[in-house]
Amino acid sequence: MTDQKDPDPTSYEAPPESVIDTDYDIGQDNIEGTFGPFGFDLHKPVFPVSAIAVIAFVIFTLLLPEVAGNTFSAMFSFVTKGFDWFFLGAADIFVIVCLLIVISPYGKIRLGGKDAKPDFTYTSWFAMLFAAGMGIGLMFYGVSEPLSHFSSSLGGISVGEDGVRTDWAPLGAAGGNEAEAVRLGMAASIFHWGLHPWAIYAIVALSLALFSYNKGLPLTIRSAFYPIFGERVWGWPGHIIDILAVFATLFGLATSLGLGAAQANSGFNKLFGMPISDTSQVILICGITAIALFSVIRGLEAGVKLLSEINMGVAFLLWAFVLIAGPTVLLTTDMLSFLGAYLQYLPELSSPIGRDDVNFAQGWTSFYWAWWISWSPFVGMFIARVSRGRTVREFIISVLLVPSLVCVLWMSVFGGAAINQVVRDGYMAVTEAPLPLQLFTMLDAMPWTAITSFIGIILVIVFFVTSSDSGSLVIDTIAAGGKVDAPVPQRVFWCLFEGVVAIVLLLSAGGLSSLQSMVISTGLPFTVVLLVMCVAIWRGLASEPR
């Protein structure tokens, strides 16, 4: 199995026995031409509507920052408090659908037809899907989230005058029970990074791969809905689906860029004295976006694939260092304990009803599920682009289990090391540090602090570059009507706007909370899209030759 040059789904011929008979040709609704020295190839309704809406959003936020900030805050509260059950229930459905497909006869279907061969080795494949999927989030939350859940669990339950819980502990907490607080805190952290988010990605990726490689339809979100809408999917029902996908992806990436800039700023402050300020974060966002632009221009093979493999190698070295420099034996034995705790608490943590841990369910889980859903168009399409030749069963098991296990290992070592510093060493600085600084504060208590902190900063930056790069490729594919070879300036446009949206939200409308509000708001309608997609996948698999 050898790597090939930048796989182009439009260059593959779908198996003739599976192809959907449609009169639609990829790019038939596109506008092609040149603007000065630059060429363009744009889907007529999707690109202009998406671009104009994003530009209008930026202008509104800049001109009326206070109104925008209040609006975003109200949206966040309304969605998380009113639809937490919806996000939790939908994520459970995605996991169940994936498991049903794995054990069904449909698992034997090969993406691209029975004679299709994989385009990438397992190493390259795993590195790309993981780096694009959640690498930057693990850098930001790998230390802070386990610490937060541990502390809130140990503090126990507190109830306000209205009888509603005011604490942030998951489930029933573990007041005063240190050992159980550690287990519950780690279980809650792994829950947010394990099976559920990867099931969300798997649903989108499988639908895109199936309908593109097997059914011969364009590699765009609307294609998955052909079994539902038929030829109408090429009209406004499909336009709306693709426009929602563009919005969800753009704001999901902007949120990650905001997180990455805040953490990199904290790291540079610690190492080199860079001021922690909006100006510093804007400079970092511009720098990261510039690197992402360079990678976008180089393409999938020379850009994302290479960066993903380098980043995964460096991330493994940092993980191994923390494991060896920390309490190695304890961290190693705790991995199985934390995995067991995750499986033990999984039914309760994923329950959408009967919850009294409202702050945890709404402020943590609802936000996470909306964040993963907003990322799903671009991560799903990216995974689809690099997954041709895999069987459906191999695909789902790999996308679901391998990254989930990596998340367990990462959280167990980074979160476990930080909790151990607090519980056994009395090192409280790690809990008292601002959230973006907690990773570097944890590394402070270990040897070679300057080197490991610098490596951590580089990882944050390059993880975002791979996400921004692949996200720009995907948004451009959607906005070009499924074409993956659209002119490079279009990718540059979307890459630049990811940075612009992040800067505008950080500076003009409430900072990180506004980024989170937009993720939640765009994630809500796209959750409906994904639920319908589950039905479409089942119909698509059922129509494949046995």
Side-chain angles (χ1 to χ4, degrees):
M1 194 162 43
T2 57
D3 293 343
Q4 299 176 359
K5 187 73 174 175
D6 197 353
D8 177 359
T10 61
S11 67
Y12 300 133
E13 291 188 9
E17 67 274 12
S18 303
V19 169
I20 290 177
D21 185 17
T22 176
D23 294 331
Y24 184 82
D25 294 322
I26 296 176
Q28 72 175 39
D29 293 329
N30 285 20
I31 305 173
E32 298 183 53
T34 57
F35 183 77
F38 305 114
F40 59 86
D41 190 352
L42 312 170
H43 191 278
K44 191 161 46 180
V46 174
F47 181 90
V49 171
S50 301
I52 291 171
V54 171
I55 293 170
F57 168 84
V58 169
I59 294 173
F60 163 69
T61 307
L62 285 173
L63 294 180
L64 300 169
E66 187 173 342
V67 174
N70 293 335
T71 301
F72 299 153
S73 177
M75 289 164 58
F76 184 86
S77 178
F78 171 74
V79 174
T80 54
K81 293 181 180 179
F83 293 92
D84 56 324
W85 59 271
F86 181 64
F87 283 121
L88 268 67
D92 292 343
I93 290 173
F94 301 143
V95 174
I96 293 169
V97 169
C98 286
L99 296 178
L100 287 176
I101 293 174
V102 166
I103 64 175
S104 75
Y106 301 145
K108 297 179 181 179
I109 295 170
R110 188 171 295 276
L111 299 174
K114 62 181 181 180
D115 298 323
K117 303 296 182 184
D119 298 303
F120 295 99
T121 62
Y122 275 114
T123 302
S124 297
W125 187 40
F126 291 150
M128 284 190 289
L129 69 89
F130 183 79
M134 54 179 58
I136 193 171
L138 284 177
M139 291 298 297
F140 193 85
Y141 287 108
V143 169
S144 60
E145 186 174 352
L147 272 177
S148 176
H149 296 326
F150 161 72
S151 300
S152 60
S153 297
L154 187 62
I157 295 174
S158 58
V159 181
E161 294 180 359
D162 56 358
V164 177
R165 281 177 58 173
T166 56
D167 63 274
W168 285 77
L171 303 179
N177 187 338
E178 194 172 85
E180 193 57 28
V182 173
R183 293 184 76 251
L184 180 56
M186 290 303 304
S189 301
I190 294 170
F191 169 62
H192 288 148
W193 299 86
L195 290 175
H196 284 72
W198 286 99
I200 293 168
Y201 293 160
I203 289 294
V204 178
L206 177 59
S207 65
L208 291 169
L210 176 67
F211 286 95
S212 177
Y213 299 135
N214 292 64
K215 307 298 185 183
L217 299 180
L219 188 69
T220 186
I221 304 296
R222 72 174 73 201
S223 294
F225 294 85
Y226 192 92
I228 307 294
F229 295 111
E231 290 294 315
R232 288 177 298 163
V233 81
W234 313 123
W236 273 105
H239 300 338
I240 292 171
I241 290 169
D242 280 350
I243 290 168
L244 283 174
V246 169
F247 288 162
T249 302
L250 187 68
F251 287 110
L253 286 168
T255 299
S256 298
L257 180 51
L259 293 175
Q263 190 171 32
N265 190 185
S266 296
F268 280 122
N269 171 263
K270 193 169 188 64
L271 289 180
F272 308 112
M274 173 187 277
I276 297 179
S277 65
D278 291 340
T279 302
S280 298
Q281 291 182 25
V282 169
I283 293 172
L284 286 169
I285 289 174
C286 292
I288 294 172
T289 302
I291 300 171
L293 282 173
F294 178 73
S295 182
V296 160
I297 293 170
R298 286 176 61 85
L300 179 63
E301 178 80 17
V304 181
K305 175 178 175 289
L306 179 63
L307 284 174
S308 297
E309 291 176 344
I310 293 173
N311 225 30
M312 288 304 294
V314 176
F316 172 76
L317 291 177
L318 183 61
W319 175 86
F321 169 80
V322 174
L323 177 63
I324 295 170
T328 307
V329 175
L330 181 64
L331 292 177
T332 303
T333 55
D334 277 350
M335 288 180 194
L336 286 177
S337 173
F338 295 153
L339 178 59
Y342 165 58
L343 296 175
Q344 173 190 338
Y345 286 114
L346 181 59
E348 293 178 82
L349 289 168
S350 58
S351 174
I353 57 175
R355 302 288 291 267
D356 60 356
D357 53 342
V358 288
N359 284 333
F360 175 81
Q362 295 174 358
W364 280 100
T365 306
S366 288
F367 165 67
Y368 266 131
W369 287 181
W371 193 13
W372 300 145
I373 288 167
S374 72
W375 268 47
S376 65
F378 105 79
V379 177
M381 187 177 292
F382 184 75
I383 293 174
R385 284 190 65 173
V386 298
S387 299
R388 180 181 178 273
R390 309 289 177 185
T391 66
V392 169
R393 183 172 291 117
E394 175 190 20
F395 173 87
I396 292 181
I397 290 175
S398 297
V399 172
L400 230 62
L401 296 186
V402 173
S404 294
L405 287 175
V406 172
C407 290
V408 171
L409 296 176
W410 187 276
M411 284 287 181
S412 297
V413 169
F414 280 78
I419 292 174
N420 181 75
Q421 290 175 347
V422 173
V423 173
R424 291 173 175 79
D425 302 336
Y427 180 63
M428 303 306 297
V430 69
T431 61
E432 296 166 356
L435 194 149
L437 196 58
Q438 287 184 329
L439 168 65
F440 305 108
T441 308
M442 185 267 288
L443 293 173
D444 258 354
M446 297 183 175
W448 305 338
T449 299
I451 297 175
T452 55
S453 294
F454 185 72
I455 290 173
I457 295 170
I458 298 301
L459 280 172
V460 169
I461 292 173
V462 182
F463 266 132
F464 178 75
V465 168
T466 54
S467 297
S468 178
D469 185 342
S470 52
S472 300
L473 291 170
V474 167
I475 293 177
D476 182 47
T477 300
I478 297 172
K483 285 191 174 183
V484 296
D485 57 351
V488 172
Q490 293 173 204
R491 303 179 190 174
V492 172
F493 171 84
W494 291 114
C495 189
L496 287 173
F497 259 83
E498 292 161 18
V500 169
V501 169
I503 290 171
V504 167
L505 286 173
L506 278 173
L507 296 183
S508 304
L512 187 59
S513 61
S514 292
L515 290 166
Q516 293 173 331
S517 299
M518 293 310 300
V519 165
I520 285 281
S521 303
T522 54
L524 180 61
F526 207 73
T527 305
V528 179
V529 172
L530 262 63
L531 288 170
V532 180
M533 192 178 281
C534 292
V535 178
I537 289 174
W538 207 264
R539 291 186 181 181
L541 290 171
S543 65
E544 282 290 292
R546 297 300 181 91

